[in-house]
Amino acid sequence: MYSYFSNITIRSRLILLPLPVLLFLLIALVLYIQSQNQEIDFSLKEQKGIEIIKPVYFAYKVALPKFKIGNENVDDLKPMIEEGNVTILKSGILSEDSKQIQKWNTYLSYDRFDQLTTRNFLEDTQSLAVKIGDHSNLILDPKLESYYQMDIILFQILALWKHVGQLKELIRDEYLGENRKRKNFSNISYTKSIISISAIEDICINITNSYHKTMENAPIYQEKIQKNVNQSNETCNAYVAELKKVLITQLTKPDSSDELFNIIHKGTFLRSEIQNFSISVFEKLIEERLAEQRFHRMVNIIILALALSISILLIFLIFKSINLPLRTVLIKIEELSSGNADLTKQLPSFGENEIGEISGSINRFLSQLHDIIIQLKYSVNQVEKSSEQLKLDASSVSDNATGLASTTEESAASLEELSSSFEVMFGSITDETKNISKIAEEIRNIP
């Protein structure tokens, strides 16, 4: 790896250096956007769940009044079942082979509902609604203000329907068979009435508490919810009071079941009012949450994009702050290597860093080299001056040598003459010496 990078220029490596940081930022941006998208998809799925649960509940609302004596016509119910199936399958929340969908589709083959079929349809519709809530994140809703509305829609209302259905079943039993001849409700029916009416009363209290929880966490809806709570409490109290009067306080039962069924049907309308209001509040809460999530996603994306842009700008400036001095130093070194460098022009100061130290060293080298060249030029000038003097001295020496040569020739001639004189003189001395020797010999020979 080191050998690989050693073949890459420093400037190229400077460009590659921030890539891991940029890659990390991009990955973080993608992961964050994915996280934001998941939250938005979660809320969108909730919104979709609310839309497809409406026709299911509407079918339940239509079917509930049919839970009477039996053999009820369901021609008006079949289009609602078909519409609900189309809406559910189009949403993709549940598949066509889902157990709840298949059960719901079986009721399309019925022309009339008896008591058992009606009860089964209501139970299967409740199961379908809960399944939709489970698969559309309604049950998993993380926000308190919307969670309590989900609790009302999927659980409290279904519990209310259940007890309304039990009261209808109780009435049906009282007006069929041997019980229809009785003027008073049976003890079993009396006990069941007390249990169901108490449960309905508790459900109304639970619904009110859920609305209060929603108001605590979504104060902007406080006025609207409080108005509905007051109205619901008033209607619910009146409904419970009427049930108690007819089923508990009153000693004799009405001659016809229709009067009781009409009274109990008021629970269906009460449920519809509460549910429709809760669904509208739930939808607005989800819409506001989606808008807030999209806004936050956009703001965060803009912030991350700005941070990424600033990072890129800083990286560019840092790269430029390193690349420009390096390029300037490199150009100066290339000038020096070519021999065309202006030694009087030094590198600018690049601060107290490594490049600044290098440029300072080069500037000192240029200064010393400049001084050396100046000294060399001075020495060359001195040498040129000395050379001229030497030329003059050589010319003088040449002239003196010429004169000396003529003098030498004259001296040589004189020496030759003197040598000849010396030779003659030596000859005379030799002859005289010989004569002296003869005289001395002769003197010795004298006795």
Side-chain angles (χ1 to χ4, degrees):
M1 182 64 71
Y2 177 78
S3 60
Y4 172 77
F5 283 110
S6 63
N7 297 323
I8 302 176
T9 63
I10 293 177
R11 282 180 290 177
S12 299
R13 277 185 263 180
L14 287 174
I15 297 175
L16 295 175
L17 182 63
L19 287 182
V21 178
L22 293 177
L23 182 62
F24 172 78
L25 289 175
L26 288 174
I27 292 174
L29 178 61
V30 170
L31 291 177
Y32 181 78
I33 292 174
Q34 286 182 347
S35 175
Q36 293 283 302
N37 289 337
Q38 287 176 356
E39 293 181 2
I40 292 175
D41 292 340
F42 187 95
S43 299
L44 286 172
K45 204 169 184 180
E46 285 187 284
Q47 195 176 50
K48 189 183 294 184
I50 295 173
E51 290 299 323
I52 66 176
I53 212 170
K54 288 179 181 179
V56 176
Y57 279 149
F58 192 69
Y60 194 103
K61 176 183 177 181
V62 173
L64 191 59
K66 300 182 183 299
F67 192 36
K68 296 193 292 185
I69 299 300
N71 199 28
E72 302 291 337
N73 187 283
V74 291
D75 289 340
D76 58 341
L77 184 60
K78 287 183 178 180
M80 299 174 187
I81 297 176
E82 292 174 349
E83 181 185 355
N85 277 331
V86 171
T87 305
I88 294 170
L89 295 177
K90 186 178 179 180
S91 69
I93 297 296
L94 296 178
S95 60
E96 190 173 1
D97 57 352
S98 173
K99 181 180 178 181
Q100 287 75 17
I101 294 292
Q102 291 178 351
K103 279 188 176 182
W104 224 44
N105 286 332
T106 58
Y107 295 102
L108 293 172
S109 61
Y110 290 84
D111 293 328
R112 308 185 76 82
F113 278 5
D114 57 15
Q115 295 89 346
L116 179 60
T117 306
T118 304
R119 184 191 301 115
N120 291 336
F121 176 78
L122 295 175
E123 290 177 354
D124 291 337
T125 303
Q126 290 178 5
S127 299
L128 178 61
V130 174
K131 193 71 174 179
I132 291 171
D134 187 28
H135 281 68
S136 60
N137 300 327
L138 293 176
I139 296 178
L140 301 174
D141 191 273
K143 299 293 185 179
L144 289 177
E145 63 272 17
S146 51
Y147 172 83
Y148 284 105
Q149 294 306 304
M150 177 278 302
D151 180 62
I152 293 174
I153 296 168
L154 288 179
F155 298 104
Q156 301 296 339
I157 294 300
L158 290 180
L160 179 62
W161 280 348
K162 179 181 178 181
H163 290 289
V164 170
Q166 288 176 351
L167 290 175
K168 288 186 175 183
E169 189 173 0
L170 179 150
I171 295 170
R172 187 193 69 230
D173 293 339
E174 286 293 325
Y175 286 88
L176 290 176
E178 295 181 358
N179 288 332
R180 67 181 177 178
K181 298 178 182 180
R182 297 171 59 98
K183 293 183 179 181
N184 299 325
F185 291 106
S186 65
N187 292 332
I188 296 176
S189 297
Y190 181 80
T191 304
K192 288 181 177 179
S193 298
I194 294 175
I195 294 173
S196 295
I197 293 172
S198 298
I200 291 173
E201 195 171 12
D202 290 338
I203 290 170
C204 290
I205 294 173
N206 292 335
I207 291 173
T208 301
N209 292 334
S210 294
Y211 278 133
H212 286 154
K213 291 291 184 181
T214 300
M215 286 189 290
E216 290 176 5
N217 294 279
I220 58 173
Y221 293 102
Q222 184 171 0
E223 182 177 354
K224 183 178 181 181
I225 293 176
Q226 187 61 54
K227 181 179 179 181
N228 185 267
V229 168
N230 295 335
Q231 183 179 352
S232 298
N233 286 337
E234 183 179 349
T235 305
C236 193
N237 291 333
Y239 177 62
V240 170
E242 192 170 8
L243 288 176
K244 287 180 178 181
K245 177 182 177 181
V246 175
L247 297 175
I248 299 175
T249 305
Q250 190 170 290
L251 298 176
T252 59
K253 63 183 181 182
D255 295 333
S256 172
S257 62
D258 291 338
E259 180 182 350
L260 289 175
F261 278 124
N262 290 333
I263 293 173
I264 294 174
H265 282 332
K266 293 180 181 179
T268 304
F269 300 129
L270 172 64
R271 186 265 346 148
S272 297
E273 292 176 359
I274 295 173
Q275 187 181 56
N276 292 337
F277 178 76
S278 294
I279 287 177
S280 66
V281 173
F282 200 1
E283 283 181 318
K284 289 180 180 179
L285 290 172
I286 297 299
E287 288 173 1
E288 288 181 359
R289 188 193 306 170
L290 275 171
E292 184 179 0
Q293 287 172 341
R294 285 170 176 155
F295 175 75
H296 286 163
R297 181 181 64 178
M298 181 61 65
V299 170
N300 291 327
I301 289 175
I302 292 173
I303 292 174
L304 286 172
L306 287 174
L308 186 61
S309 301
I310 293 172
S311 299
I312 293 174
L313 178 61
L314 289 175
I315 290 170
F316 172 75
L317 293 176
I318 293 172
F319 170 76
K320 187 176 180 181
S321 68
I322 298 175
N323 180 61
L324 183 60
L326 279 177
R327 184 174 179 82
T328 304
V329 171
L330 182 61
I331 291 173
K332 196 66 176 180
I333 292 174
E334 288 177 351
E335 289 178 359
L336 288 172
S337 63
S338 65
N340 298 322
D342 185 0
L343 300 179
T344 61
K345 186 177 180 181
Q346 293 191 337
L347 291 171
S349 175
F350 296 119
E352 297 180 358
N353 52 56
E354 290 81 357
I355 299 177
E357 293 177 1
I358 293 173
S359 63
S361 299
I362 293 175
N363 287 337
R364 289 191 294 273
F365 169 75
L366 291 175
S367 178
Q368 293 175 2
L369 186 60
H370 182 258
D371 292 342
I372 291 172
I373 290 175
I374 291 176
Q375 186 65 35
L376 285 174
K377 287 183 179 180
Y378 176 77
S379 299
V380 168
N381 289 333
Q382 293 297 322
V383 169
E384 287 179 351
K385 290 180 181 180
S386 299
S387 176
E388 291 294 329
Q389 185 64 40
L390 286 173
K391 286 181 180 179
L392 293 175
D393 292 343
S395 177
S396 176
V397 169
S398 177
D399 293 339
N400 291 333
T402 302
L404 181 61
S406 60
T407 303
T408 303
E409 289 179 355
E410 292 177 358
S411 298
S414 299
L415 288 173
E416 287 181 356
E417 291 179 358
L418 182 58
S419 177
S420 299
S421 298
F422 282 159
E423 289 179 355
V424 173
M425 185 176 64
F426 286 149
S428 298
I429 292 171
T430 302
D431 291 337
E432 290 295 330
T433 301
K434 289 179 179 181
N435 293 325
I436 292 171
S437 297
K438 288 179 179 182
I439 295 173
E441 185 64 31
E442 288 179 357
I443 292 174
R444 280 194 302 267
N445 291 327
I446 298 176

